[in-house]
Amino acid sequence: MDAFVTPGLVLKETRYKESDRILTLLTPGYGVISASAQSSLRLKSRLFSACGLFCYSEFTLLPGKNMYTVRDASVKNVFHGLSSSIEGMSLAMYLSELAAALSPTGSEAEKELRLLLNCLYMISEQKADLRAIKAVFELRTMSECGFLPQLVCCKGCAAYDGPAFYLDAEEGTLLCANCAAKAGKSCNLDAGALFALRHICLVEDKKIFAFKISIGSLNKLSAVAEQYALHHLDKPLKSYSFLKSVLP
């Protein structure tokens, strides 16, 4: 097969032999793929910069039996600010591992790439609270990968708003305070967190970070988003434990 060109974000890099790297790439047309970047760890290699972790580059790939081979690569964007804090770098690692674990394809892969690039930019430029960025990615990516919760109203009585609600992570449904009490559940969302939850899951891409939330509501939103995302994954993420140690 002939070589082809595609943009891609480096989600993971693994050293192989003396100077080679095995890359995990998120691409808009092919989803999550693996590619061998030979000699890319040599400083004089034309692949050195473009194949680095979290680099968004344009790759020329040659299909192979088990993985692709990087023939050429040029940098489109590098998120230099990610390394300015251990919390930001840890969050970037977690988001990338979550994206790789979901392995989106088709239109889902394009949306996932756009969302992850947006979140990495927000982390790199310190544009938002890291917990808010984390919650946005967890909720939006799960929604776009087929796990959109039912957010219109209470499952029990159809109430739209109220001072407190409960989001069932397993069923993906809402219960108002009264219905949650009847079911023996403790509410995990206040009014601010519920508003942000609906906004993140349903708004158009360019407005996804256009919400304001109090610290108390963010605490509730962060906990619910994390629980919801991790519940729907097939396996635990290696980056999760370390992230929680630096960003509780």
Side-chain angles (χ1 to χ4, degrees), residues 125-139:
E125 299 299 319
Q126 301 179 22
K127 293 288 188 179
D129 188 298
L130 293 179
R131 292 178 301 158
I133 298 172
K134 177 175 176 286
V136 165
F137 188 83
E138 289 168 331
L139 291 170

Side-chain angles (χ1 to χ4, degrees), residues 158-179:
Y160 177 77
D161 54 18
F165 270 77
Y166 170 75
L167 177 67
D168 189 311
E170 183 174 356
E171 295 187 5
T173 55
L174 288 172
L175 290 175
C176 68
N178 289 334
C179 293

Side-chain angles (χ1 to χ4, degrees), residues 101-166:
L102 291 169
S103 298
T105 59
S107 62
E108 291 179 0
E110 184 175 359
K111 292 177 181 178
E112 183 86 348
L113 176 59
R114 187 163 56 244
L115 174 63
L116 184 51
L117 288 172
N118 193 4
C119 288
L120 292 180
Y121 168 79
M122 297 295 284
I123 298 171
S124 179
E125 299 299 319
Q126 301 179 22
K127 293 288 188 179
D129 188 298
L130 293 179
R131 292 178 301 158
I133 298 172
K134 177 175 176 286
V136 165
F137 188 83
E138 289 168 331
L139 291 170
R140 187 68 170 215
T141 195
M142 299 312 296
S143 297
E144 292 181 345
C145 288
F147 299 103
L148 175 66
Q150 193 288 104
L151 300 174
V152 176
C153 60
C154 171
K155 178 184 177 182
C157 68
Y160 177 77
D161 54 18
F165 270 77
Y166 170 75

Side-chain angles (χ1 to χ4, degrees), residues 2 23 41 71 93 106-107 115 132 135 146-147 153 164 197-198 220:
D2 295 332
L23 308 179
L41 285 173
R71 282 289 183 86
M93 295 288 291
S107 62
L115 174 63
F147 299 103
C153 60
L197 176 65
R198 286 171 169 154
K220 293 181 181 295

